[in-house]
Amino acid sequence: MLRPPPDPSQCPSSHDVPTLVLSLGLCTGLIISYLPQHIRIISAKTSEGFSPWFLLLGATSSASGMLNLLIVQWPLFRCCRILSAGRCFESLLGFYQVTLQWLLFTIILILYLIYFPKHLKYQRVLPLDSAVTAPTYGATDVPDGSSASQPVKGTIATTPEWRLAVTLACVVAIHLGLLLLLSLSLLFILPPTTPPHPFLRYLATFLGVSALILSLLQYTPQIHKTYKAKLVGALSLGTMAIQVPGSVLFVISLVMRPGTDWTSWLVYAVTGGVQGILLVICLFWKRRQKRLGIDDFGVPLVIPGTDANGEDERRPLVDGD
């Protein structure tokens, strides 16, 4: 049996033009800011340089933030039963913003798996006993039948890095599925009250705080990986250059939305700050790469006076100047 519609006095009744324009602009800006990163991975055909832990923490953090806003703005969803389609869309723009941010970041995780570098995905495994027979590569026939002259056989197996990436991607899917199921179950089972039921308040606070903690940790593995590699890799400077100042406007727009609190916007303020640190490091390494004559992946650039094979025999200096 459907519950009765909410009291019209509890639903927004006026247009907030500045907030509407800001939210629409931010949704457009989100798409524009993430496109360079998506295009960067696809065009380079590699996701080398990304930390899988960064993607895990980012995906779970953005999912927790999205579900937090779903709970705290649930009364606005109920108001859509008595509001026009346009008014309903306007009132839920804050939720659409956060959901769009989660979706665009999750696409990076998907592209990371699709374009995972092959040289980091597979490895040659040599048997302890060279006489062991298994699916092999590189074996040749020996005319005299002597096993002593046979090359060492080996099998091809996936690397620990690839297995870790797949495992963390599964964790992201399980995290989203379980929390989404729990949130929707409580929202439909518990009675709609003002203020919300204590269970919903506890869950919203848990999601908001966990999103904050995850965002605080999110950039730590990526900053460590990028700093240690001394290479930009597949990271997009364009995306970071847009998102760092854009995070300020994003936070302001959420603060101005009805039905939000500090647990809904603080996570994005923290993320913008630490992302700025990563941008500074990448700009520093970009300048260093130019000085050393290497690209973002440490491959020597073709210098005038040499052929495409790099006859100057220079090597990328990735461990130090």
Side-chain angles (χ1 to χ4, degrees), residues 34 38 59 62 101-111 172 176:
Y34 272 99
H38 298 162
S62 59
Q101 196 273 339
W102 162 79
L103 176 62
L104 293 171
F105 190 91
T106 302
I107 291 176
I108 297 178
L109 173 59
I110 296 173
L111 292 176
V172 170
L176 174 64

Side-chain angles (χ1 to χ4, degrees), residues 27-228:
C27 287
T28 304
L30 271 175
I31 298 174
I32 295 174
S33 70
Y34 272 99
L35 276 180
Q37 184 61 80
H38 298 162
I39 295 173
R40 166 78 168 158
I41 298 175
I42 296 172
S43 61
K45 292 182 172 57
T46 179
S47 58
E48 186 173 359
F50 276 96
S51 166
W53 292 103
F54 160 71
L55 297 174
L56 165 74
L57 296 171
T60 52
S61 173
S62 59
S64 296
M66 174 184 65
L67 295 176
N68 165 271
L69 210 59
L70 172 66
I71 293 174
V72 299
Q73 289 197 328
W74 186 249
L76 297 179
F77 281 88
R78 297 184 64 245
C79 285
C80 287
R81 296 178 59 185
I82 61 176
L83 295 177
S84 64
R87 189 70 60 82
C88 174
F89 174 79
E90 180 182 348
S91 66
L92 294 176
L93 265 178
F95 175 75
Y96 297 150
Q97 279 180 229
V98 176
T99 302
L100 181 61
Q101 196 273 339
W102 162 79
L103 176 62
L104 293 171
F105 190 91
T106 302
I107 291 176
I108 297 178
L109 173 59
I110 296 173
L111 292 176
Y112 169 76
L113 296 173
I114 295 175
Y115 292 98
F116 194 89
K118 290 185 177 180
H119 68 279
L120 299 177
K121 189 175 183 179
Y122 300 105
Q123 62 183 349
R124 182 185 179 187
V125 180
L126 299 178
L128 295 176
D129 184 355
S130 60
V132 174
T133 59
T136 62
Y137 64 91
T140 59
D141 295 332
V142 180
D144 59 4
S146 173
S147 61
S149 61
Q150 290 182 349
V152 178
K153 298 178 180 180
T155 60
I156 294 181
T158 56
T159 62
E161 291 83 357
W162 170 246
R163 293 195 293 272
L164 174 64
V166 173
T167 300
L168 296 184
C170 292
V171 172
V172 170
I174 294 173
H175 170 270
L176 174 64
L178 291 179
L179 287 180
L180 179 61
L181 178 62
L182 176 61
S183 300
L184 291 177
S185 298
L186 292 178
L187 287 171
F188 282 106
I189 293 174
L190 296 177
T193 59
T194 304
H197 193 280
F199 284 168
L200 289 175
R201 294 203 304 270
Y202 295 149
L203 180 57
T205 301
F206 167 75
L207 290 171
V209 172
S210 63
L212 173 60
I213 295 174
L214 291 171
S215 69
L216 284 172
L217 300 175
Q218 174 186 353
Y219 281 88
T220 301
Q222 187 61 61
I223 289 174
H224 176 266
K225 183 178 181 66
T226 303
Y227 182 82
K228 185 177 180 180

